[in-house]
Amino acid sequence: MSGPYVIRGSVSLPEAELMWRFSRSSGPGGQHVNTSDSQVELRFDLARTQALPPVWKERALERLADRLVAGVVCVRASEHRSQWRNRETAAVRLAALLAEATAPPPKPRRKTRVPRGINERRLREKKQRSQIKRGRGGHDW
């Protein structure tokens, strides 16, 4: 593995809490593909982890509720023919998923009024446009 995978700030995925499982990957390959376990399944017990601050943990559990099975989030990777590269991909995906799930909620939008000048200009342009179109009508020449 290429070091700790940072979720956000100084918080990173703890290597001891990651559970790896390998299996044969589907798809094209060569003679080697039938014997190697290149597909990676990475599991992280979100409900029991001590690596995340409590606020982040609650947020992640709430936002990832549909993806969790008994509090465990699972990420699969099988794009690459190499198990090593699939491990890297799965760990990066998990870190990105947790970063998105633990992000603070966006600030609520403040309603603003449309400035009077902009509204007046819009109405003036509409009136001009209607005059142009009215002028295109049939003339009795």
Side-chain angles (χ1 to χ4, degrees), residues 73-140:
V73 66
C74 180
V75 175
R76 280 196 180 132
S78 63
E79 301 74 64
H80 307 290
R81 290 169 72 176
S82 151
Q83 185 188 99
W84 183 259
R85 287 180 65 193
N86 282 334
R87 283 176 64 124
E88 292 285 320
T89 304
V92 167
R93 253 192 233 158
L94 179 63
L97 181 71
L98 289 175
E100 189 178 322
T102 58
K107 291 182 180 176
R109 182 184 177 277
R110 280 181 37 198
K111 291 184 180 179
T112 58
R113 290 183 56 212
V114 178
R116 191 182 338 147
I118 290 176
N119 212 13
E120 287 173 357
R121 184 175 61 207
R122 180 181 62 84
L123 294 173
R124 191 171 51 247
E125 288 171 359
K126 280 179 71 164
K127 208 166 272 186
Q128 284 175 344
R129 193 80 189 142
S130 72
Q131 291 294 329
I132 290 170
K133 290 186 174 187
R134 192 176 299 140
R136 291 182 189 153
H139 296 289
D140 289 340

